[in-house]
């Protein structure tokens, strides 16, 4: 491909990634309390620092032409330890490669397959990656390879690649594998010279392939790689850990036991720390922050105080590589109830979607590289796909290890990033035995209240627990409002104590009780009366669109009701993810996981049956987030949503594609339809149309997933996001109350009725009055929705008709889901 023909605009340089953060969209990078302008300045200053990792924005969401890079070759391999989501990445590399017109090769068994060649290097087809997205591990095998560490091994690998015309590699592995890939790229010209000298290859062949280009995807379950917010496999590992912890909790409680749970992480405490937050663990031992050598005494002392106060169970999480400050391992002799977690199984929805996004971006990055380009890693920065320099990330990762080797714990934690630090701080705060005097409340004793509004969603209870404990820590009296505004009107408030909220994090639903009614002209005076009666000085609302809308209504009545002139904050919590002011609401991760797992079962139910089309209806009101993201995560063929117009012709077009695919041997086709996608083209209508047009070639079944989509136990992501957002909201409310108390601020201004949302890597408070301007109240949607940029990827990976010309379809041998 002639680079002059490259259709892309120049790459845009982003602000630097400052070490890894925790979950995607969880970063605490800057702009919340200090304001966006100052945040930009800080980032610019960071960019000037020599060691800053500066990403460039990827091409996600762009209009990508079919066969743009016809004739090029790409190979993909997985290396090092396997991680869940690798299959999704492999599928995406293959399908994006084929879409762009490339020949795509698998290299089986990692570098060993590259060195051994032969049948280990095989051409991939569209079909060869069918039905793998939901599978754990890696279908192309992974291995550690001593031969590749030697130049002779790399020379063999170079021969095996050049003889097949392969000069573009996607390496999916950890920092070792990526370092190896970088060495290989540097050695390439020398290796070719040696091969010419040996007479193994011709000068002409070498001249045709003077360089090899490398793009890395980080597959690593312990999230130990600097330069990306999340690595492929971490989210699944956390889910497995939490399942194991939840399972031992009931036994521990019945028998009043203390369980010790060991999780992976030889050099990185991320899994242990985040699992501790998500499971309300009482202790957590991680390599970056070792306890003093007398930790056993401290542990026993604290446990006996807890038992004395009536606590029936204790959970202690230990990272595999945890040590004390003397360097002695924290060992299994600590307790007879020692559980070692094995991470594996089906990939989580997040890891599947991450694999899809990263794989596609990797191929595009490779195609755009020039001989001068440095190898890059595809990272997720907030909710964007970015490209970062590979070796800089590897070096930063190694610097953390160096700091730990030198027992420089402060540096190790700092290098892990602000969000790691915040996880550590939040964990320590929430596990304190007794509230302490602090400086945020300035010694005042405030009355604060919390309520849930709207339908229940994963993470609601976690947010209430975190708010309660942190408010108690700040010496507040905390009131839980039962049954939303109806309860508030009737004065149904319960005082929440430290122990009231014990064990709340792991549970779905809403312990406070939640309803959808908005405040009205009739109810507002009664609401004001109760607030006055209980002397409530700040209010946290955790809920969906109704929580946001109610806050707006209350703030609009402040002039008439001085009782409403108190700081209010909304934490968006709804499976639909339809609240403005945030890219993601609490509960939607749990729902997407639940939907993907239901779809896996539905797909499986068709095994052995003949040609079947499934139409799966998801919730979400008018918001197509759940339908789109679940369709990508489950490998569905299409998703009908309200935000993207579709007509009866589009549905008939689907029938045509289904028929065509089925003629090529495909047995299943899967369409996800959002419940309000179109009021006339209902799920039943689509089924009937399919029945009519199929002429008996396939049968169609409907599955309306319904309320099961709320999921059972919340995912670790929702538990932690609930915990951390509520911690942040509490601090904000404390500051506002104190200002109000000191007469420095009135609570009748827009910035005292806010919504706390995620914007990329930042956590942002936005006045609800401001958000009203960017809201479609009729359809209960934000005017701008970032995830719409994922729609082209859905079509490309499913080979849908409007991304493929008929000619391309005929080229292929048919496909499956
Ligand atoms: P994990 O996170 O699972 O440990 P990793 O990619 O870091 O994954 P490693 O065992 O370090 O796992 O590396 C995998 C393979 O990559 C090695 O077996 C070796 O073949 C290759 N490799 C690693 N480091 C180098 C290097 N410096 N030079 C050449 N090859 C290397």
């Amino acid at each position: 491909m002639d680079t002059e023909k490259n259709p892309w605009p120049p790459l845009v340089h982003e602000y630097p990634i400052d070490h890894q953060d925790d979950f995607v969209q969880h970063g605490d990078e800057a702009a919340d309390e200090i304001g966006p302008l100052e945040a930009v300045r800080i980032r610019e200053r960071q960019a000037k620092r020599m060691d800053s990792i500066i990403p460039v924005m990827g091409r996600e969401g762009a209009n990508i032409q079919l066969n743009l890079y016809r004739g090029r070759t790409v190979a993909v391999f997985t290396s090092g330890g396997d991680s869940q989501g690798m299959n999704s990445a492999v599928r995406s590399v293959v399908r994006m490669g084929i879409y762009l017109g490339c020949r795509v090769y698998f290299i089986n068994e990692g570098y060993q397959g590259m060195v051994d060649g032969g049948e280990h290097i095989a051409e991939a087809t569209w079909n060869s990656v069918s039905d793998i997205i939901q599978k754990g591990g890696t279908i192309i095998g992974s291995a550690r390879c001593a031969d590749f560490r030697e130049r002779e091994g790399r020379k063999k690998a170079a021969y095996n690649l050049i003889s097949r015309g392969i000069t573009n590699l996607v390496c999916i592995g950890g920092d070792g594998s990526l370092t190896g890939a970088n060495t290989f790229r540097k050695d390439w010209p020398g290796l070719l010279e040696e091969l010419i000298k040996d007479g193994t290859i011709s000068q002409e062949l070498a001249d045709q392939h003077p360089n090899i280009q490398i793009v890395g995807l980080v597959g690593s379950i312990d999230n130990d790689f600097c330069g990306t917010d999340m690595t492929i496999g971490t989210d699944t590992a956390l889910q497995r850990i939490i399942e194991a912890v939840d399972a031992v909790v009931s036994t521990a409680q019945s028998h009043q036991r203390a369980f010790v749970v060991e999780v992976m992480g030889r050099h990185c405490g991320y899994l242990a720390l985040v699992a501790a937050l998500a499971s309300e663990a009482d202790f957590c031992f991680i390599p970056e922050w070792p306890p003093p050598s007398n930790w056993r005494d401290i542990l026993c002392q604290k446990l006996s105080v807890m038992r004395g106060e009536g606590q029936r169970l204790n959970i202690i999480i230990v990272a595999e590589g945890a040590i004390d400050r003397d360097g002695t391992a924290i060992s299994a002799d600590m307790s007879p109830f020692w559980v070692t977690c094995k991470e594996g199984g089906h990939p989580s929805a997040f890891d599947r979607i991450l694999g899809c996004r990263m794989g596609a971006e990797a191929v595009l990055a490779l195609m755009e590289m020039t001989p001068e380009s440095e190898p890059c890693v595809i990272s997720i920065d907030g909710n964007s796909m970015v490209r970062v320099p590979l070796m800089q990330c590897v070096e930063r990762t190694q610097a953390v290890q160096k700091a730990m080797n030198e027992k420089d714990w402060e540096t190790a934690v700092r290098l892990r990033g602000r969000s790691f630090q915040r996880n550590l701080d939040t964990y320590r705060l929430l596990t304190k035995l007794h509230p302490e005097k602090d400086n945020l409340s300035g010694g005042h004793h405030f009355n604060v209240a919390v309520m849930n509004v709207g339908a229940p969603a994963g993470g609601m209870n976690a947010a209430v627990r975190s708010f309660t404990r942190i408010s108690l820590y700040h010496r507040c009296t905390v009131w839980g409002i039962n049954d939303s505004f109806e309860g508030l009107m009737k004065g149904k408030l319960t005082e929440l104590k430290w122990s009231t909220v014990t064990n709340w994090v792991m549970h779905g639903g809403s312990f406070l009780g939640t309803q959808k009614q908005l405040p009205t002209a009739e109810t507002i005076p009664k609401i004001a009366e109760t607030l006055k009666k209980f002397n409530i000085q700040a209010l946290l609302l955790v809920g969906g669109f109704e929580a946001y809308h109610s806050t707006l209504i209350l703030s609009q009545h402040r002039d008439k009701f001085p009782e409403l002139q108190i700081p209010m904050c909304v934490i968006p919590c709804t499976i639909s993810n339809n609240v403005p002011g945030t890219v993601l609401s609490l509960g939607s991760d749990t729902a997407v996981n639940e939907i993907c797992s239901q779809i896996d079962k539905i797909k499986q139910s068709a095994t052995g049956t003949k040609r079947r089309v499934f139409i799966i209806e998801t919730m979400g009101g008018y918001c197509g987030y759940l339908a789109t993201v679940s369709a990508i995560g489950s490998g569905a063929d299409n998703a009908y949503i309200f935000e993207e117009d579709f007509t009866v012709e589009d549905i008939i077009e689907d029938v045509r594609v289904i028929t065509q695919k089925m003629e090529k041997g495909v047995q299943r086709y899967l369409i996800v339809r959002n419940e309000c996608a179109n009021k006339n083209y209902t799920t039943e209508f689509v089924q009937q149309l399919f029945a009519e047009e199929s002429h008996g070639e396939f049968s169609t079944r409907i599955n309306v997933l319904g309320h099961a989509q709320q999921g059972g136990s919340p995912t670790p992501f929702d538990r932690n996001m609930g915990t951390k957002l509520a911690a942040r909201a509490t601090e904000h409310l404390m500051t506002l109350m104190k200002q109000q108390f000191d007469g420095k601020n009135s609570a009748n201004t827009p910035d005292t009725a806010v919504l706390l949302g995620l914007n990329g890597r930042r956590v942002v408070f936005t006045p609800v009055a401001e958000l009203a301007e960017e809201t479609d109240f009729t359809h209960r949607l934000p005017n701008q929705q970032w995830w719409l940029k994922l729609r082209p990827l859905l079509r490309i990976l499913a080979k849908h008709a409007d991304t493929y010309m008929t000619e391309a379809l005929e080229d292929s041998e048919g496909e499956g889901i």
Side-chain angles (χ1 to χ4, degrees):
M1 167 85 197
D2 184 351
T3 43
E4 271 126 62
K5 278 200 230 140
N6 201 332
W8 307 108
L11 288 162
V12 181
H13 285 262
E14 287 294 291
Y15 294 112
I17 287 181
D18 222 342
H19 332 305
Q20 80 171 21
D21 271 317
D22 63 341
F23 290 98
V24 58
Q25 295 112 358
H26 275 212
D28 299 312
E29 277 304 297
D32 39 10
E33 279 113 38
I34 52 175
L37 269 181
E38 180 57 14
V40 167
R41 271 185 228 116
I42 289 174
R43 284 175 169 229
E44 278 170 352
R45 279 202 298 276
Q46 286 172 343
K48 284 187 191 132
R49 277 179 19 211
M50 289 299 287
D51 64 343
S52 285
I53 298 175
I54 304 176
V56 292
M57 199 48 116
R59 302 297 188 192
E60 194 168 72
N63 182 16
I64 300 160
Q65 290 164 37
L66 179 71
N67 290 328
L68 182 62
Y69 297 103
R70 197 185 262 286
R72 308 266 295 258
T73 56
V74 180
V76 57
F77 64 101
T78 48
S79 172
D82 73 330
S83 66
Q84 316 315 315
M86 278 182 167
N87 278 332
S88 168
V90 169
R91 170 180 177 269
S92 182
V93 169
V94 169
R95 293 195 167 176
M96 178 56 98
I98 293 176
Y99 177 80
L100 291 173
C102 305
R103 294 185 79 157
V104 186
Y105 288 87
F106 290 138
I107 302 173
N108 292 293
E109 314 306 334
Y111 285 120
Q112 197 62 56
M114 202 187 287
V115 173
D116 295 345
E119 63 192 21
H120 291 297
I121 305 177
E123 192 164 349
T125 64
W126 193 275
N127 266 356
S128 52
V129 289
S130 289
D131 208 23
I132 64 166
I133 193 167
Q134 74 281 12
K135 292 184 180 156
T138 159
I139 59 151
I140 53 174
S142 186
R144 310 217 189 248
C145 169
D147 292 342
F148 194 77
R149 289 182 184 272
E150 309 300 325
R151 194 173 170 87
E152 202 48 38
R154 295 199 287 278
K155 192 167 140 191
K156 283 188 194 156
Y159 170 73
N160 287 325
L161 296 186
I162 200 168
S163 57
R164 290 167 176 82
I166 300 170
T167 50
N168 292 296
L169 289 181
V170 180
C171 168
I172 310 174
D175 58 334
S177 306
L178 300 181
T179 309
N182 189 56
T183 309
F184 188 45
R185 175 181 165 275
K186 282 204 233 148
D187 285 357
W188 182 266
L191 295 172
L192 294 198
E193 262 174 43
E194 287 169 35
L195 287 167
I196 296 167
K197 233 187 245 161
D198 298 348
T200 318
I201 61 166
S202 66
Q203 181 70 48
E204 196 190 350
L205 186 64
D207 291 346
Q208 283 164 6
H209 308 285
N211 303 292
I212 187 143
Q213 307 293 0
I214 313 276
V215 171
L217 301 186
V218 191
S220 158
I221 63 167
D222 41 17
N223 208 21
D224 57 356
F225 194 81
C226 295
T228 183
D229 284 354
M230 279 295 265
T231 57
I232 297 171
T234 305
D235 187 60
T236 308
L238 277 170
Q239 290 202 7
R240 289 300 96 78
I241 294 168
I242 292 309
E243 282 162 17
V245 176
D246 287 356
V248 298
V249 159
S250 49
T251 308
Q253 200 144 30
S254 311
H255 298 283
Q256 301 204 35
R257 280 180 189 156
F259 268 94
V260 183
V261 181
E262 184 190 286
V263 305
M264 286 185 81
R266 262 173 300 152
H267 310 291
C268 180
Y270 178 88
L271 286 180
L273 182 56
V274 177
L277 270 173
S279 62
E280 296 188 34
D282 302 294
F283 287 91
C284 168
F285 295 109
I286 56 171
E288 293 88 343
W289 197 251
S293 52
N294 65 339
W295 59 269
R296 282 165 204 269
D297 301 337
I298 301 171
L299 184 75
C300 292
Q301 220 175 9
K302 203 171 159 188
L303 287 177
S304 62
V305 173
M306 286 170 169
R307 290 302 162 114
E309 289 177 351
Q311 190 166 326
R312 290 179 63 85
L313 91 139
N314 297 96
I315 298 289
I316 300 157
I317 308 240
V318 181
E320 200 184 355
I323 46 170
D324 67 19
R325 293 221 165 202
D326 290 343
T328 313
I330 309 271
S331 62
D333 64 0
M334 192 200 300
S335 160
F337 304 111
W338 183 284
V339 181
T340 305
C341 277
K342 292 280 164 252
E343 291 82 4
H346 293 305
S348 70
F350 179 84
D351 279 328
R352 299 180 195 193
I353 296 158
L354 189 66
C356 285
R357 297 174 71 188
M358 284 185 164
E361 187 59 36
V363 180
L364 290 168
L366 272 176
M367 295 300 118
E368 283 188 70
M369 280 180 159
T370 62
E372 294 74 40
S373 304
E374 285 290 312
C376 71
V377 169
I378 306 302
S379 294
I380 181 155
D381 180 16
N383 55 350
S384 301
M385 283 292 114
V386 297
R387 305 171 187 178
V388 287
L390 184 147
M391 277 324 284
Q392 235 184 318
C393 297
V394 170
E395 280 157 19
R396 178 72 61 83
T397 305
Q398 288 165 353
V400 182
Q401 188 55 47
K402 185 166 170 278
M404 287 197 286
N405 293 345
E406 290 167 0
K407 298 193 175 167
D408 183 357
W409 317 116
E410 302 280 347
T411 305
V413 170
R414 187 176 51 75
L415 287 172
R416 283 266 180 248
R418 274 193 63 183
S419 191
F420 189 93
Q421 176 77 61
R422 185 163 274 276
N423 280 331
L424 192 57
D425 292 346
T426 310
Y427 161 74
R428 290 163 75 188
L429 198 63
L430 289 172
T431 51
K432 281 203 184 306
L433 276 182
H434 296 288
E436 287 169 20
K437 196 170 161 58
D438 74 294
N439 55 14
L440 264 184
S441 63
H444 304 302
H445 294 264
F446 293 118
N447 279 309
V448 295
V450 55
M451 69 198 292
N452 294 151
V453 189
M460 247 180 190
N461 294 323
V464 176
R465 168 187 178 261
S466 170
F467 173 77
T468 303
R469 291 210 165 166
I470 294 177
S471 301
L472 288 171
Y473 178 76
H474 290 307
R475 307 198 145 247
C476 297
T477 301
V478 187
W479 295 97
I481 300 167
N482 300 115
D483 303 331
S484 309
F485 287 104
E486 195 189 315
L488 182 56
M489 238 169 51
K490 295 180 180 163
K492 279 173 69 181
L493 275 68
T494 319
E495 191 177 342
L496 301 176
K497 302 280 192 191
W498 195 267
S499 58
T500 322
V501 291
T502 300
N503 258 336
W504 277 33
V505 170
M506 65 187 281
H507 292 283
S510 156
F511 284 130
L512 287 181
T514 183
Q515 295 185 9
K516 292 186 175 179
Q517 283 85 0
L518 297 174
T520 61
E522 233 171 68
T523 60
I524 288 173
K526 293 181 192 153
I527 289 169
E529 209 177 290
T530 314
L531 291 175
K532 188 174 177 185
K533 182 174 159 201
F534 286 84
N535 186 26
I536 302 300
Q537 290 160 292
L539 181 62
L540 179 74
L541 300 96
V542 184
F545 198 88
E546 295 87 358
Y548 150 65
H549 198 175
S550 316
T551 310
L552 182 66
I553 294 171
L554 292 181
S555 67
Q556 286 164 343
H557 285 79
R558 276 172 159 175
D559 284 341
K560 209 161 154 215
F561 297 95
E563 297 82 359
L564 301 177
Q565 292 177 15
I566 55 172
M568 299 179 207
C569 181
V570 183
I571 294 183
C573 180
T574 161
I575 66 167
S576 309
N577 197 26
N578 64 333
V579 184
T582 189
V583 293
L584 203 68
S585 56
L586 275 184
S588 53
D589 183 60
T590 304
V592 173
N593 274 284
E594 185 63 36
I595 297 169
C596 286
S597 117
Q598 299 271 349
I599 295 180
D600 290 350
K601 289 174 193 139
I602 292 166
K603 273 160 73 173
Q604 192 178 295
S605 75
T607 319
T609 57
K610 267 193 71 195
R611 300 181 171 184
R612 180 156 290 174
V613 176
F614 289 105
I615 306 169
I616 293 161
E617 188 182 288
T618 55
M619 290 174 113
Y622 285 95
C623 180
Y625 176 81
L626 285 182
T628 301
V629 173
S630 312
I632 295 174
S634 58
D637 294 85
N638 206 353
Y640 297 160
I641 60 166
F642 169 76
E643 290 89 341
E644 209 173 75
D645 277 346
F646 67 101
T647 64
V648 73
E649 275 86 32
D650 295 307
I651 307 173
I652 292 173
E653 170 69 9
D654 252 316
V655 176
R656 197 187 63 76
V657 179
I658 295 166
T659 315
Q660 216 163 16
K661 284 184 174 181
M662 289 192 171
E663 275 166 12
K664 311 253 181 204
V666 174
Q667 296 295 316
R668 281 168 286 161
Y669 196 88
L670 211 138
I671 291 175
V672 184
R673 181 187 175 279
N674 160 246
E675 59 181 352
C676 298
N678 184 298
K679 76 174 186 320
N680 295 318
Y681 304 148
T682 60
T683 305
E684 288 72 23
F685 172 86
V686 176
Q687 185 193 24
Q688 283 162 13
L689 195 69
F690 278 9
E692 184 66 28
E693 298 292 324
S694 71
H695 305 296
E697 290 297 314
F698 55 85
S699 60
T700 310
R701 295 284 185 277
I702 291 178
N703 285 270
V704 179
L705 299 183
H707 289 85
Q709 287 164 87
Q710 260 174 31
S713 182
T715 56
F717 181 91
D718 281 331
R719 297 179 189 198
N720 283 354
M721 194 163 76
T723 302
K724 291 202 289 183
L725 287 182
R728 182 58 73 90
T730 316
E731 284 168 17
H732 190 71
L733 290 172
M734 294 301 305
T735 308
L736 289 176
M737 278 189 293
K738 184 168 179 303
Q739 282 173 359
Q740 195 178 8
F741 191 87
D742 296 343
K744 290 190 188 140
N745 197 356
S746 110
N748 195 15
T749 52
D751 59 356
T752 56
V754 292
L755 181 140
L756 175 56
L758 299 162
N759 180 1
R761 308 175 94 213
R762 293 183 293 114
V763 184
V764 189
F765 291 95
T766 317
V768 286
E770 216 173 275
L771 293 175
E773 289 159 26
E774 46 189 87
T775 306
D776 169 358
F777 283 98
T778 314
H779 299 105
R780 295 154 49 96
L781 287 175
N783 290 342
Q784 302 291 331
Q785 301 193 87
W786 71 272
W787 52 266
L788 285 168
K789 72 177 177 187
L790 302 180
R791 299 282 299 175
L793 184 64
L794 170 65
R795 294 202 193 82
I796 288 171
L797 297 183
K799 194 157 70 169
H800 195 252
D802 56 2
T803 50
Y804 259 75
M805 294 167 192
T806 319
E807 164 215 336
L809 264 175
E810 281 162 3
D811 280 346
S812 85
E813 299 153 19
E815 61 146 329
I817 292 167

